[in-house]
Amino acid sequence: MSNITFTMIKPDAVSNGHSGKIIDQIIQAGFTIQAMKYVRLSKETAGSFYGIHRERPFFNDLVEFMTSGTIVAAILVKENAVADFRNLIGATDPKKAEPGTIRNLFAKSIEANAMHGSDSDENAANEANFFFSAFERF
Ligand code: UDP
Ligand code: MG
């Protein structure tokens, strides 16, 4: 059971004006925000963040997409944060995401899928530390 997860509102959702609705949905689902900021990723930073996918066919497009606009990065706190947040955002492919999930409501495609959510407690801690220093976390 974890207390934190890391998320990004991806460039598609930010540029389409969905950030406010998404943050509201996150808060209404019981998460509190420990840290949050606007970020524009470099190719190097995006490639490093998604390094586990480096050999996958979609890697270059994913880096291109993630550097195409501003994102909102955040650390969220809740009991069972990682699993509960994955349920809130829905499946990677929005066509397979349950009705009412953030990806079902706001994602355009399997690549431009509106949100990131950590997939384990260990990755949540690493991803939170990758984006935020101690004095940015409350
Ligand atoms: N992705 C993609 N094509 C795919 C699978 C994934 O473009 O076939 C992108 C998508 O933006 C996804 C990210 O790569 O969110 C990371 O993939 P992962 O399998 O970790 O999905 P997630 O954990 O984000 O649901
Ligand atoms: Mg993942």
Coordinates of all heavy atoms in Angstrom, one line a residue, residues 2-70:
S2 N 0.6 2.2 -0.9 CA 1.5 3.3 -1.0 C 0.8 4.6 -0.7 O -0.5 4.6 -0.7 CB 2.0 3.4 -2.5 OG 0.9 3.9 -3.3
N3 N 1.5 5.6 -0.4 CA 0.9 6.9 -0.1 C 1.0 7.9 -1.2 O 0.2 8.8 -1.3 CB 1.6 7.5 1.2 CG 1.3 6.7 2.4 OD1 0.2 6.3 2.6 ND2 2.3 6.6 3.2
I4 N 2.0 7.7 -2.1 CA 2.2 8.7 -3.1 C 2.2 8.0 -4.5 O 2.6 6.9 -4.7 CB 3.5 9.5 -3.0 CG1 4.7 8.7 -3.3 CG2 3.5 10.3 -1.7 CD1 5.9 9.6 -3.7
T5 N 1.8 8.8 -5.5 CA 2.0 8.5 -6.9 C 2.4 9.7 -7.6 O 2.2 10.8 -7.1 CB 0.7 7.8 -7.5 OG1 1.1 7.3 -8.8 CG2 -0.4 8.8 -7.7
F6 N 3.0 9.5 -8.8 CA 3.4 10.7 -9.6 C 2.6 10.7 -10.9 O 2.3 9.6 -11.5 CB 4.9 10.5 -10.0 CG 5.4 11.5 -11.0 CD1 5.7 12.8 -10.6 CD2 5.5 11.3 -12.3 CE1 6.0 13.8 -11.5 CE2 5.8 12.2 -13.2 CZ 6.1 13.5 -12.8
T7 N 2.2 11.9 -11.3 CA 1.4 12.0 -12.5 C 1.9 13.2 -13.4 O 2.5 14.1 -12.9 CB -0.1 12.2 -12.2 OG1 -0.9 12.3 -13.4 CG2 -0.3 13.5 -11.4
M8 N 1.6 13.1 -14.6 CA 1.7 14.3 -15.5 C 0.4 14.4 -16.3 O -0.1 13.4 -16.8 CB 2.9 14.0 -16.6 CG 4.2 13.9 -15.9 SD 5.5 13.7 -17.2 CE 5.3 12.0 -17.6
I9 N -0.1 15.6 -16.4 CA -1.1 15.9 -17.4 C -0.3 16.2 -18.7 O 0.5 17.1 -18.8 CB -2.0 17.1 -17.1 CG1 -2.6 16.9 -15.7 CG2 -3.1 17.3 -18.1 CD1 -3.4 18.2 -15.2
K10 N -0.6 15.4 -19.7 CA 0.3 15.4 -21.0 C -0.1 16.6 -21.9 O -1.1 17.2 -21.7 CB 0.1 14.0 -21.7 CG 0.7 12.9 -20.8 CD 0.7 11.5 -21.6 CE 1.2 10.4 -20.7 NZ 1.3 9.1 -21.5
P11 N 0.8 16.8 -22.9 CA 0.6 18.0 -23.7 C -0.7 18.1 -24.4 O -1.3 19.3 -24.5 CB 1.7 17.9 -24.7 CG 2.8 17.1 -24.1 CD 2.1 16.2 -23.2
D12 N -1.3 17.0 -24.8 CA -2.6 17.1 -25.5 C -3.7 17.6 -24.6 O -4.5 18.5 -24.9 CB -3.0 15.7 -26.0 CG -3.2 14.6 -24.9 OD1 -2.2 14.5 -24.1 OD2 -4.2 13.9 -24.8
A13 N -3.7 17.2 -23.3 CA -4.8 17.6 -22.4 C -4.6 19.0 -21.9 O -5.5 19.8 -21.7 CB -4.8 16.6 -21.2
V14 N -3.3 19.4 -21.7 CA -3.0 20.8 -21.3 C -3.4 21.8 -22.4 O -4.1 22.7 -22.2 CB -1.5 21.0 -21.0 CG1 -1.2 22.5 -20.7 CG2 -1.1 20.1 -19.7
S15 N -3.0 21.5 -23.7 CA -3.2 22.4 -24.8 C -4.7 22.4 -25.1 O -5.2 23.4 -25.7 CB -2.4 22.1 -26.0 OG -2.8 20.8 -26.5
N16 N -5.5 21.4 -24.8 CA -6.9 21.4 -25.1 C -7.7 22.0 -24.0 O -9.0 22.0 -24.0 CB -7.4 19.9 -25.3 CG -7.0 19.4 -26.7 OD1 -6.8 20.2 -27.6 ND2 -6.8 18.1 -26.8
G17 N -7.0 22.5 -22.9 CA -7.7 23.2 -21.9 C -8.4 22.3 -20.8 O -9.3 22.7 -20.1
H18 N -7.9 21.1 -20.7 CA -8.6 20.1 -19.8 C -7.9 20.1 -18.4 O -8.4 19.3 -17.5 CB -8.6 18.7 -20.4 CG -9.3 18.6 -21.7 ND1 -10.6 19.1 -21.8 CD2 -9.0 18.0 -22.8 CE1 -11.0 18.8 -23.0 NE2 -10.1 18.1 -23.7
S19 N -6.8 20.8 -18.2 CA -6.1 20.7 -16.9 C -7.0 20.9 -15.7 O -6.9 20.2 -14.7 CB -4.9 21.7 -16.9 OG -4.1 21.5 -18.0
G20 N -7.8 22.0 -15.7 CA -8.6 22.3 -14.6 C -9.6 21.2 -14.2 O -9.7 20.8 -13.1
K21 N -10.3 20.7 -15.3 CA -11.2 19.7 -15.0 C -10.6 18.4 -14.5 O -11.1 17.7 -13.6 CB -12.0 19.3 -16.3 CG -13.1 20.3 -16.7 CD -13.6 20.1 -18.1 CE -12.6 20.5 -19.1 NZ -13.1 20.5 -20.5
I22 N -9.4 18.1 -15.0 CA -8.7 16.9 -14.6 C -8.2 17.1 -13.1 O -8.4 16.1 -12.3 CB -7.5 16.6 -15.5 CG1 -8.0 16.1 -16.9 CG2 -6.5 15.6 -14.9 CD1 -6.9 16.0 -18.0
I23 N -7.6 18.2 -12.8 CA -7.2 18.4 -11.4 C -8.4 18.3 -10.5 O -8.3 17.7 -9.4 CB -6.4 19.8 -11.3 CG1 -5.1 19.7 -12.0 CG2 -6.2 20.1 -9.8 CD1 -4.5 21.1 -12.3
D24 N -9.5 18.9 -10.9 CA -10.7 18.8 -10.0 C -11.1 17.3 -9.8 O -11.4 16.9 -8.7 CB -11.9 19.6 -10.7 CG -13.1 19.7 -9.7 OD1 -12.8 20.1 -8.6 OD2 -14.2 19.4 -10.1
Q25 N -11.1 16.6 -10.9 CA -11.5 15.1 -10.8 C -10.5 14.4 -9.9 O -11.0 13.5 -9.1 CB -11.5 14.5 -12.2 CG -12.2 13.2 -12.3 CD -12.4 12.7 -13.7 OE1 -12.4 13.5 -14.6 NE2 -12.7 11.4 -13.8
I26 N -9.3 14.7 -9.9 CA -8.3 14.1 -9.0 C -8.6 14.4 -7.6 O -8.6 13.5 -6.7 CB -6.8 14.6 -9.4 CG1 -6.4 14.0 -10.8 CG2 -5.8 14.2 -8.4 CD1 -5.2 14.6 -11.4
I27 N -8.9 15.7 -7.3 CA -9.1 16.1 -5.9 C -10.4 15.5 -5.4 O -10.5 15.0 -4.3 CB -9.2 17.7 -5.8 CG1 -7.8 18.2 -6.1 CG2 -9.7 18.1 -4.5 CD1 -7.8 19.8 -6.3
Q28 N -11.5 15.5 -6.3 CA -12.8 14.9 -5.9 C -12.6 13.4 -5.6 O -13.4 12.8 -4.8 CB -13.8 15.1 -7.0 CG -14.2 16.6 -7.2 CD -14.5 17.3 -6.0 OE1 -15.2 16.8 -5.0 NE2 -14.0 18.6 -5.9
A29 N -11.6 12.7 -6.2 CA -11.4 11.3 -6.0 C -10.6 11.0 -4.7 O -10.3 9.9 -4.4 CB -10.7 10.7 -7.2
G30 N -10.3 12.1 -4.0 CA -9.7 11.9 -2.7 C -8.2 12.0 -2.6 O -7.6 11.8 -1.5
F31 N -7.5 12.5 -3.7 CA -6.1 12.7 -3.7 C -5.8 14.1 -3.2 O -6.5 15.0 -3.5 CB -5.5 12.5 -5.1 CG -5.6 11.1 -5.6 CD1 -6.7 10.6 -6.2 CD2 -4.5 10.2 -5.4 CE1 -6.8 9.3 -6.7 CE2 -4.6 8.9 -5.9 CZ -5.7 8.5 -6.5
T32 N -4.7 14.3 -2.4 CA -4.2 15.6 -2.1 C -2.9 15.8 -2.9 O -2.2 14.9 -3.2 CB -4.0 15.8 -0.6 OG1 -3.1 14.8 -0.1 CG2 -5.3 15.7 0.1
I33 N -2.6 17.1 -3.1 CA -1.5 17.5 -4.0 C -0.3 17.8 -3.1 O -0.4 18.8 -2.4 CB -1.9 18.6 -4.9 CG1 -3.0 18.1 -5.9 CG2 -0.7 19.1 -5.7 CD1 -3.7 19.2 -6.7
Q34 N 0.7 17.1 -3.2 CA 1.9 17.3 -2.4 C 2.9 18.3 -3.2 O 3.7 19.0 -2.5 CB 2.7 16.0 -2.1 CG 3.8 16.1 -1.2 CD 4.6 14.8 -1.0 OE1 5.5 14.5 -1.9 NE2 4.2 14.1 0.0
A35 N 2.8 18.3 -4.5 CA 3.7 19.1 -5.3 C 3.0 19.2 -6.7 O 2.3 18.3 -7.1 CB 5.1 18.5 -5.5
M36 N 3.2 20.4 -7.3 CA 2.6 20.5 -8.7 C 3.4 21.7 -9.4 O 3.7 22.7 -8.8 CB 1.2 20.9 -8.6 CG 0.5 21.1 -10.0 SD -1.3 21.2 -9.9 CE -1.7 19.5 -9.9
K37 N 3.7 21.5 -10.7 CA 4.3 22.6 -11.5 C 4.1 22.3 -13.0 O 3.9 21.2 -13.5 CB 5.8 22.7 -11.2 CG 6.6 21.5 -11.5 CD 8.1 21.8 -11.1 CE 8.9 20.5 -11.2 NZ 10.3 20.7 -10.6
Y38 N 4.1 23.4 -13.8 CA 4.2 23.4 -15.2 C 5.6 23.1 -15.6 O 6.6 23.7 -15.1 CB 3.8 24.7 -15.8 CG 2.3 24.9 -15.9 CD1 1.6 25.6 -15.0 CD2 1.6 24.4 -17.0 CE1 0.2 25.7 -15.1 CE2 0.2 24.5 -17.1 CZ -0.5 25.2 -16.2 OH -1.8 25.4 -16.3
V39 N 5.8 22.2 -16.6 CA 7.1 21.9 -17.1 C 7.1 21.7 -18.6 O 6.1 21.3 -19.2 CB 7.6 20.5 -16.5 CG1 9.0 20.2 -16.9 CG2 7.5 20.5 -15.0
R40 N 8.2 22.2 -19.3 CA 8.4 21.8 -20.7 C 9.5 20.9 -20.7 O 10.7 21.3 -20.4 CB 8.6 23.1 -21.5 CG 8.8 22.8 -23.0 CD 7.4 22.6 -23.7 NE 7.6 22.2 -25.1 CZ 7.3 23.1 -26.1 NH1 6.8 24.2 -25.9 NH2 7.5 22.7 -27.3
L41 N 9.3 19.6 -21.1 CA 10.4 18.6 -21.1 C 11.3 18.8 -22.3 O 10.9 19.1 -23.4 CB 9.8 17.2 -21.2 CG 9.0 16.8 -20.0 CD1 8.4 15.4 -20.3 CD2 9.8 16.7 -18.7
S42 N 12.6 18.6 -22.1 CA 13.5 18.5 -23.2 C 13.5 17.0 -23.7 O 13.0 16.1 -23.1 CB 14.9 18.8 -22.7 OG 15.4 17.8 -21.8
K43 N 14.1 16.8 -24.9 CA 14.2 15.4 -25.5 C 14.9 14.5 -24.5 O 14.6 13.4 -24.3 CB 14.8 15.5 -26.8 CG 14.0 16.2 -27.9 CD 13.7 15.4 -29.1 CE 12.5 15.9 -29.8 NZ 12.7 17.2 -30.5
E44 N 16.0 15.1 -24.0 CA 16.8 14.3 -23.0 C 16.0 13.9 -21.8 O 16.1 12.7 -21.4 CB 18.0 15.2 -22.7 CG 19.1 14.4 -21.9 CD 20.3 15.3 -21.6 OE1 20.1 16.5 -21.3 OE2 21.4 14.9 -21.7
T45 N 15.3 14.8 -21.2 CA 14.6 14.6 -20.0 C 13.4 13.6 -20.3 O 13.2 12.6 -19.5 CB 14.0 15.9 -19.4 OG1 15.0 16.8 -19.3 CG2 13.4 15.6 -18.1
A46 N 12.7 13.8 -21.4 CA 11.6 12.9 -21.7 C 12.1 11.5 -22.0 O 11.6 10.5 -21.6 CB 10.8 13.4 -22.9
G47 N 13.2 11.4 -22.7 CA 13.8 10.1 -23.1 C 14.3 9.4 -21.8 O 14.2 8.2 -21.7
S48 N 14.9 10.1 -20.9 CA 15.3 9.5 -19.7 C 14.1 9.0 -18.8 O 14.1 7.9 -18.3 CB 16.2 10.6 -18.9 OG 16.4 10.1 -17.6
F49 N 13.1 9.9 -18.7 CA 11.9 9.5 -18.0 C 11.3 8.2 -18.5 O 10.9 7.3 -17.7 CB 10.9 10.6 -18.0 CG 9.6 10.3 -17.2 CD1 9.6 10.6 -15.8 CD2 8.5 9.7 -17.7 CE1 8.5 10.3 -15.0 CE2 7.4 9.4 -17.0 CZ 7.4 9.7 -15.6
Y50 N 11.2 8.1 -19.8 CA 10.6 6.9 -20.5 C 11.7 5.9 -20.9 O 11.4 5.1 -21.8 CB 9.7 7.3 -21.7 CG 8.4 7.9 -21.3 CD1 8.0 9.2 -21.5 CD2 7.4 7.0 -20.6 CE1 6.8 9.7 -21.1 CE2 6.2 7.5 -20.3 CZ 5.8 8.8 -20.5 OH 4.6 9.3 -20.2
G51 N 12.8 5.9 -20.3 CA 14.0 5.1 -20.7 C 13.6 3.6 -20.7 O 14.2 2.9 -21.6
I52 N 12.7 3.2 -19.9 CA 12.3 1.7 -19.9 C 11.7 1.3 -21.2 O 11.7 0.1 -21.6 CB 11.4 1.5 -18.7 CG1 11.2 0.0 -18.5 CG2 10.0 2.1 -18.9 CD1 10.6 -0.4 -17.1
H53 N 11.2 2.3 -22.0 CA 10.5 2.0 -23.3 C 11.5 2.3 -24.5 O 11.0 2.3 -25.6 CB 9.3 2.8 -23.4 CG 8.2 2.6 -22.4 ND1 7.7 1.3 -22.2 CD2 7.5 3.4 -21.6 CE1 6.8 1.3 -21.3 NE2 6.6 2.6 -20.9
R54 N 12.7 2.5 -24.2 CA 13.7 2.9 -25.3 C 13.7 2.0 -26.5 O 13.8 2.5 -27.6 CB 15.1 3.0 -24.7 CG 16.0 3.9 -25.5 CD 17.3 4.2 -24.7 NE 17.2 5.0 -23.6 CZ 17.1 6.3 -23.6 NH1 17.2 7.0 -24.7 NH2 17.0 7.0 -22.5
E55 N 13.5 0.7 -26.3 CA 13.6 -0.3 -27.4 C 12.2 -0.5 -28.1 O 12.1 -1.2 -29.0 CB 14.1 -1.6 -26.9 CG 15.5 -1.6 -26.2 CD 16.5 -0.9 -27.1 OE1 16.5 -1.1 -28.3 OE2 17.4 -0.2 -26.5
R56 N 11.2 0.1 -27.5 CA 9.8 -0.1 -28.1 C 9.7 0.8 -29.4 O 10.2 1.9 -29.5 CB 8.7 0.3 -27.1 CG 8.9 -0.3 -25.7 CD 8.4 -1.8 -25.7 NE 6.9 -1.8 -25.7 CZ 6.1 -1.6 -24.7 NH1 6.6 -1.4 -23.5 NH2 4.8 -1.7 -24.8
P57 N 8.8 0.3 -30.3 CA 8.7 1.0 -31.6 C 8.1 2.4 -31.4 O 8.3 3.3 -32.3 CB 7.7 0.1 -32.4 CG 7.1 -0.8 -31.4 CD 8.1 -1.0 -30.3
F58 N 7.3 2.6 -30.3 CA 6.7 3.9 -30.2 C 7.6 5.0 -29.5 O 7.1 6.1 -29.2 CB 5.3 3.8 -29.5 CG 5.4 3.2 -28.1 CD1 5.8 3.9 -27.0 CD2 5.2 1.8 -27.9 CE1 5.8 3.4 -25.7 CE2 5.2 1.2 -26.6 CZ 5.6 2.0 -25.5
F59 N 8.8 4.6 -29.1 CA 9.6 5.4 -28.2 C 9.9 6.8 -28.8 O 9.7 7.9 -28.1 CB 10.9 4.7 -27.9 CG 11.8 5.6 -27.0 CD1 11.6 5.7 -25.6 CD2 12.9 6.2 -27.6 CE1 12.4 6.5 -24.9 CE2 13.8 7.0 -26.8 CZ 13.5 7.2 -25.4
N60 N 10.4 6.9 -30.0 CA 10.7 8.2 -30.6 C 9.5 9.1 -30.8 O 9.6 10.3 -30.4 CB 11.4 8.0 -32.0 CG 12.8 7.5 -31.8 OD1 13.4 7.7 -30.8 ND2 13.3 6.8 -32.9
D61 N 8.4 8.5 -31.2 CA 7.1 9.3 -31.3 C 6.7 9.8 -29.9 O 6.2 10.9 -29.8 CB 6.0 8.5 -31.9 CG 6.2 8.3 -33.4 OD1 7.0 9.1 -34.0 OD2 5.5 7.5 -34.0
L62 N 6.8 8.9 -28.9 CA 6.4 9.3 -27.5 C 7.3 10.5 -27.0 O 6.7 11.4 -26.5 CB 6.6 8.1 -26.6 CG 6.3 8.3 -25.1 CD1 4.8 8.7 -24.9 CD2 6.6 7.0 -24.3
V63 N 8.6 10.4 -27.3 CA 9.4 11.6 -26.8 C 9.1 12.8 -27.6 O 9.0 13.9 -27.0 CB 10.9 11.2 -27.0 CG1 11.8 12.4 -26.9 CG2 11.3 10.1 -26.0
E64 N 8.8 12.7 -28.9 CA 8.4 13.8 -29.7 C 7.1 14.4 -29.1 O 7.0 15.7 -28.9 CB 8.1 13.3 -31.1 CG 8.1 14.4 -32.2 CD 9.5 15.1 -32.4 OE1 10.5 14.3 -32.4 OE2 9.5 16.3 -32.5
F65 N 6.1 13.6 -28.8 CA 4.9 14.0 -28.3 C 5.0 14.7 -26.9 O 4.5 15.8 -26.7 CB 3.9 12.9 -28.2 CG 2.7 13.1 -27.3 CD1 1.8 14.1 -27.7 CD2 2.5 12.4 -26.2 CE1 0.7 14.4 -26.8 CE2 1.4 12.7 -25.3 CZ 0.5 13.7 -25.7
M66 N 5.8 14.1 -26.0 CA 5.9 14.6 -24.7 C 6.7 15.9 -24.6 O 6.6 16.6 -23.6 CB 6.5 13.5 -23.8 CG 5.6 12.3 -23.5 SD 4.1 12.8 -22.6 CE 4.7 13.4 -21.1
T67 N 7.4 16.2 -25.7 CA 8.2 17.5 -25.7 C 7.4 18.5 -26.5 O 8.0 19.6 -26.8 CB 9.6 17.3 -26.3 OG1 9.5 16.7 -27.6 CG2 10.4 16.4 -25.4
S68 N 6.2 18.2 -27.0 CA 5.5 19.1 -28.0 C 4.8 20.3 -27.3 O 4.3 21.2 -28.0 CB 4.5 18.3 -28.8 OG 3.5 17.8 -28.0
G69 N 4.7 20.2 -26.0 CA 4.0 21.3 -25.3 C 4.2 21.2 -23.8 O 4.9 20.3 -23.3
T70 N 3.6 22.1 -23.1 CA 3.7 22.1 -21.6 C 3.0 20.9 -21.0 O 1.9 20.5 -21.5 CB 3.0 23.4 -21.1 OG1 3.5 24.5 -21.9 CG2 3.4 23.7 -19.6

